[in-house]
């Protein structure tokens, strides 16, 4: 009976009609905009496209949770063949998801209503990135497979599931991990014998990863480093990037309510299934809830999570439920999505309703993608927009011309805007993401090596003025000079200013390095206690501090994994900043000699005299140890 219902739902209208309607909905709901806000996110997105174009080695030259296929999620701005491939891949993911949504809606409603429901859900793709959409698609396909009993060819399921998981791992590793877990649950449920299905699945994952890794020009020896570094970024994200926002408490309650609806719908859908399939469906739901839970509440970026849960609810709804009950469940989860969207403005109502704008954008991007003779004009247009966003003086560009350049701290998009130099970034090319000692050392190691960038281009983005000191912008209100501290120290030791014009500074290597650090004293202090910073012993020494004692035991790790890590703050001379505890032992710069300061506003400024560590949202951490050191400048 279940198999018959499944086949009826899939084939009743015929594949041609399904494809035509899905394409129409895709055009009317296309979420990718050509013009994007000038944010930190824009630069890393452009940076991923540039990394693919330049053939940078993932795991060595660049480290990100997005892998060598990550550029496929970034079709705009158009920068060349990689952007064309990204448009095709992104359109394919959204089209497949729309088709699955349409099939699920048709299971519950007449065709005319199913099309309307599909369009309503697809319009929410504006808050669902392509790889997150692929995660929902994997969930939906898993549910459809579990609905069919028996599966005519379970080996095919294992192969397809393995290919999808392998593709996602090289696209966006944190999504790929969740897709891998969901795929394993489905393969174990439908395979007989299980070891054969799991073996075929594992082989498909391995072949896909290795094949695509080599096809993208990567070196096979870098694959382990990519996995290690990406997992490092994922593991440190909760501790470094967690934020608290107004309205978070009721969003949490809403999430629990939607999760309860999802579990109830899954239970009703699985009535009459075998125990293996019921357990597999429960695993799918748990994995998806965990993925959306972390995405929603680390940075309270709730709309994508609630879109995902709404789509999962639609896919799960069985035909055996009364139509009124199904409609009630869908309305409930959709209202939850609209509610959280009003708190976090990731989905403005005007953009959700702009069907004409979506259609126009789709046509423009499609005509560019499939007409290669227009690529040069499209690339020139994109570069112009980036140059307007990141205006760099001709004198600065002349200094960079012909050199390898790292861009600090965020504006990697400059490399695509002005191709007069070769982009040679530190591996974690936006310094705020080097939030674990391992990642920080990767950046520092490059600056220590003979292969260091020949120039560093620094951008000053003003944030505020504290006590006469111009404070540069930093993510989440951190202290800029504490970002990637080991690499910051190496930059101060090995580079000097050769030019500073307006908001841009150019640094070049000196060919020298700092002397051996000498102790200045150790102080033990409790959380919230003010600590005096020693004065530098000479006019040519920096003062740094290494802070130890933050709780990093098993319970702290479990808390970070399941919920959220504590939020730390540092107070410097009375001014408060967000603080990343994981890199506190890497050497935080507290004073810089005048000879190494450079021009204002790029200089460090007055020395820090007092430092205080506070825990913003929890208590109970033991005493902290502050170890102060003096670091002599080169030649001193």
């Amino acid at each position: 009976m279940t198999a018959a219902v499944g086949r009826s739902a899939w084939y009743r209208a015929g594949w041609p009609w399904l494809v035509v309607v899905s394409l129409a909905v895709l055009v009317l709901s296309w979420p990718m905009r050509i013009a994007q806000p000038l944010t930190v996110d824009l630069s890393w997105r452009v940076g991923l496209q540039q990394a693919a174009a330049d053939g940078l080695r993932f795991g060595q030259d660049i480290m990100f949770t997005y892998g060598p296929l990550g550029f496929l999620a970034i079709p705009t701005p158009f920068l060349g063949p990689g952007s064309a491939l990204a448009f095709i891949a992104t359109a394919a993911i959204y089209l497949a998801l729309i088709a699955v949504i349409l099939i699920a809606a048709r299971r519950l409603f007449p065709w005319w209503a199913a099309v309307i429901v599909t369009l309503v859900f697809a319009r929410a793709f504006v808050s669902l990135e392509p790889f997150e959409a692929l995660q929902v698609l994997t969930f939906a396909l898993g549910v459809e497979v579990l609905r069919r009993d028996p599966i005519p060819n379970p080996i095919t399921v294992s192969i397809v599931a393995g290919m999808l998981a392998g593709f996602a791992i090289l696209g966006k590793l944190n999504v790929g991990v969740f897709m891998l877990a969901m795929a394993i649950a489905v393969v174990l449920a439908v395979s007989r014998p299980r070891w054969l299905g799991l073996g075929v699945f594992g082989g498909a994952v391995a072949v896909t990863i290795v094949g695509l890794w080599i096809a993208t020009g990567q070196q096979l020896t870098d694959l382990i480093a990519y996995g290690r570094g990406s997992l490092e970024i994922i593991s440190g994200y909760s501790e470094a990037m967690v934020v608290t926002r107004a309205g978070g408490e009721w969003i949490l309650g809403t999430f629990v309510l939607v999760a309860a609806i999802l579990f109830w719908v899954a239970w009703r859908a699985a009535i009459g299934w075998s125990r293996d399939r019921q357990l597999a469906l429960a695993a799918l739901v748990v994995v998806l809830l965990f993925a959306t839970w972390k995405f929603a509440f680390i940075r309270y970026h709730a709309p994508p999570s609630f879109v995902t849960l709404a789509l999962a609810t639609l896919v799960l709804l069985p035909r055996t439920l009364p139509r009124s009950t199904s409609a009630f469940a869908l309305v409930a989860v959709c209202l939850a999505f609209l509610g959280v969207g009003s708190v976090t403005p990731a989905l403005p109502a005007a953009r959700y309703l702009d069907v004409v704008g979506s259609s126009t954008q789709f046509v423009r991007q499609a005509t560019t993608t499939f007409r290669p003779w227009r690529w040069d004009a499209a690339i020139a247009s994109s570069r112009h927009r980036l140059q307007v966003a990141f205006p760099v003086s001709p004198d600065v560009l002349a200094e960079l011309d012909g050199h390898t350049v790292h861009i600090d701290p965020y504006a990697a998009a400059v490399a695509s805007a002005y191709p007069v130099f070769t982009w040679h970034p530190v591996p974690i090319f936006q310094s705020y993401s080097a939030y674990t000692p391992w990642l920080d050392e990767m950046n520092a190691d490059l600056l220590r090596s003979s292969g260091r960038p020949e120039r560093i281009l620094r951008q000053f983005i003003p944030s505020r003025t504290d006590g006469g000191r111009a404070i540069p912008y930093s993510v989440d209100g951190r202290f800029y000079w504490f970002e990637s501290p080991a690499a910051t120290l190496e930059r101060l030791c090995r580079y000097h200013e050769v030019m500073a014009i307006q908001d841009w500074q150019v640094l070049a290597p000196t060919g020298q390095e700092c002397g051996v650090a000498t102790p200045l004293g150790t102080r033990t202090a409790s959380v919230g206690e003010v600590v005096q910073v020693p004065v530098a012993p000479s006019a040519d020494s920096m003062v740094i501090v290494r802070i130890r004692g933050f709780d990093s035991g098993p319970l702290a790790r479990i808390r970070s994994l399941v919920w959220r890590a504590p939020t730390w703050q540092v107070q410097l001379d009375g001014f408060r900043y967000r603080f990343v505890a994981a890199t506190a032992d890497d050497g935080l710069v507290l004073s810089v000699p005048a000879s190494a300061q450079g021009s204002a506003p790029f200089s460090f400024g007055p020395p820090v005299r007092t430092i205080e560590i506070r825990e913003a949202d929890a208590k109970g951490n033991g005493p902290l140890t502050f170890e102060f050191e003096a670091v002599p400048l080169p030649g001193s």
Side-chain angles (χ1 to χ4, degrees):
M1 175 66 180
T2 303
V5 170
R7 285 191 293 272
S8 175
W10 279 81
Y11 296 115
R12 182 175 297 170
W15 284 106
W17 199 91
L18 178 66
V19 171
V20 169
V21 173
S22 298
L23 279 171
V25 173
L26 175 66
V27 173
L28 295 174
S29 60
W30 184 245
M32 296 295 174
R33 304 288 175 162
I34 293 177
Q36 299 182 46
L38 306 180
T39 62
V40 172
D41 285 349
L42 173 63
S43 268
W44 68 250
R45 291 171 187 275
V46 174
L48 284 179
Q49 279 286 356
Q50 190 66 45
D54 292 347
L56 296 186
R57 295 167 58 189
F58 280 79
Q60 297 294 333
D61 300 330
I62 187 172
M63 189 69 69
F64 217 66
T65 49
Y66 285 86
L69 295 180
F71 75 95
L72 293 177
I74 306 164
T76 61
F78 190 91
L79 297 173
S83 301
L85 288 175
F87 174 83
I88 295 169
T90 299
I93 291 171
Y94 286 129
L95 179 65
L97 183 56
I98 287 169
V100 170
I101 294 170
L102 183 58
I103 290 167
R106 180 64 187 95
R107 185 182 293 116
L108 306 169
F109 306 108
W111 267 114
W112 65 269
V115 173
I116 294 174
V117 169
T118 301
L119 180 60
V120 168
F121 275 87
R123 288 298 308 167
F125 288 173
V126 71
S127 66
L128 197 65
E129 296 285 341
F131 281 106
E132 280 69 26
L134 184 61
Q135 179 176 264
V136 182
L137 178 61
T138 300
F139 175 88
L141 293 176
V143 171
E144 291 299 336
V145 168
L146 293 176
R147 276 197 170 104
R148 297 172 174 227
D149 190 11
I151 293 293
N153 193 351
I155 295 299
T156 301
V157 173
S158 297
I159 294 173
V160 173
M163 293 174 64
L164 281 174
F167 174 84
I169 286 170
L170 294 188
K172 189 176 183 182
L173 184 61
N174 50 334
V175 170
V177 168
F178 291 122
M179 286 177 54
L180 184 71
M182 289 191 284
I184 290 173
V186 174
V187 168
L188 288 175
V190 303
S191 299
R192 292 297 180 273
R194 289 192 178 93
W195 64 265
L196 177 60
L198 199 58
V200 171
F201 169 78
V205 171
V207 169
T208 301
I209 290 176
V210 172
L212 290 175
W213 184 263
I214 295 173
T216 54
Q218 303 299 308
Q219 296 187 23
L220 195 57
T221 53
D222 296 335
L223 187 54
I224 295 176
Y226 162 69
R228 164 73 193 276
S230 298
L231 290 174
E232 191 81 12
I233 292 174
I234 294 170
S235 66
Y237 190 88
S238 179
E239 289 83 352
M241 302 299 292
V242 61
V243 295
T244 301
R245 291 182 178 171
E249 296 80 7
W250 82 262
I251 294 178
L252 174 60
T254 305
F255 185 93
V256 172
L257 177 62
V258 172
I261 293 174
L262 191 63
F263 271 119
W264 178 79
V265 170
W267 169 69
R268 290 299 301 265
I271 292 176
W273 293 11
S274 68
R275 185 171 181 80
D276 286 347
R277 291 168 186 263
Q278 289 176 337
L279 290 175
L281 182 62
L284 286 182
V285 172
V286 169
V287 171
L288 190 70
L289 283 172
F290 183 69
T292 53
W293 169 273
K294 296 292 286 186
F295 199 70
F297 295 110
I298 290 180
R299 294 188 66 78
Y300 275 109
H301 191 39
S305 295
F306 279 79
V307 169
T308 297
L309 297 181
L311 291 170
T313 302
L314 174 61
V315 168
L316 281 170
L317 283 169
R319 297 187 61 162
T320 54
L321 278 179
R323 188 169 294 172
S324 59
T325 304
S326 298
F328 178 81
L330 289 178
V331 169
V333 294
C334 288
L335 287 177
F337 164 67
L338 293 176
V340 301
S342 66
V343 174
T344 54
L347 185 67
R351 187 173 174 188
Y352 179 83
L353 298 174
D354 187 13
V355 176
V356 174
S358 291
S359 305
T360 303
Q361 295 286 333
F362 181 89
V363 171
R364 290 177 63 186
Q365 292 176 46
T367 53
T368 298
T369 295
F370 295 109
R371 291 196 288 179
W373 57 90
R374 295 198 57 184
W375 286 2
D376 288 344
I379 293 169
S381 176
S382 295
R383 283 180 178 164
H384 175 72
R385 288 196 299 272
L386 291 174
Q387 289 170 8
V388 171
F390 301 98
V392 180
S393 163
D395 291 336
V396 170
L397 293 175
E399 177 61 36
L400 302 176
D401 191 4
H403 292 288
T404 59
V405 180
H406 165 57
I407 304 165
D408 177 74
Y410 312 118
V414 171
S416 298
Y418 304 96
V420 298
F421 58 84
T422 299
W423 188 43
H424 181 36
V426 296
I428 299 82
F429 61 88
Q430 290 187 321
S431 55
Y432 76 92
S433 291
Y435 40 59
T436 73
W438 194 87
L439 298 170
D440 189 16
E441 277 300 310
M442 276 203 76
N443 284 354
D445 284 343
L446 179 64
L447 298 182
R448 295 185 190 112
S449 73
S450 59
R452 68 179 66 91
E454 296 166 351
R455 296 291 185 271
I456 295 178
L457 177 64
R458 293 179 63 207
Q459 182 187 25
F460 180 82
I461 307 172
S463 174
R464 66 184 192 278
T465 301
D466 285 345
R469 177 191 302 182
I471 303 299
Y473 167 80
S474 189
V475 169
D476 296 340
R478 301 180 193 168
F479 185 56
Y480 163 77
W481 294 91
F482 285 2
E483 301 282 52
S484 192
T488 295
L489 187 60
E490 293 299 330
R491 188 187 76 222
L492 289 167
C493 287
R494 298 174 184 274
Y495 287 79
H496 70 111
E497 178 183 288
V498 295
M499 178 180 291
I501 299 177
Q502 297 175 333
D503 297 332
W504 301 95
Q505 179 193 43
V506 180
L507 305 177
T510 63
Q512 299 177 298
E513 60 185 85
C514 286
V516 178
T518 58
L520 289 179
T522 300
R523 171 74 185 277
T524 299
S526 59
V527 174
E529 183 178 352
V530 177
V531 176
Q532 296 293 323
V533 177
V535 177
S538 64
D540 55 4
S541 293
M542 292 184 287
V543 174
I544 67 172
V545 64
R546 303 182 188 276
I547 308 174
R548 300 183 176 95
F550 295 98
D551 184 9
S552 58
L555 291 179
R557 295 193 190 97
I558 291 173
R559 172 185 169 173
S560 298
L561 176 66
V562 177
W563 177 226
R564 310 168 78 210
T567 303
W568 292 94
Q569 296 175 339
V570 61
Q571 192 156 295
L572 306 173
D573 295 336
F575 299 105
R576 191 175 302 176
Y577 306 89
R578 173 72 183 274
F579 186 66
V580 178
T583 55
D585 192 22
D586 289 2
L588 309 173
V589 177
L590 298 176
S591 73
V592 178
S595 59
Q597 286 273 359
S599 306
F602 301 97
S603 57
F604 181 87
V608 174
R609 298 304 184 192
T610 63
I611 181 170
E612 173 189 353
I613 302 296
R614 296 184 174 188
E615 196 170 359
D617 55 5
K619 296 181 180 179
N621 209 82
L624 304 175
T625 301
F626 295 75
E627 295 184 0
F628 296 97
E629 298 176 357
V631 180
L633 289 175
S636 60

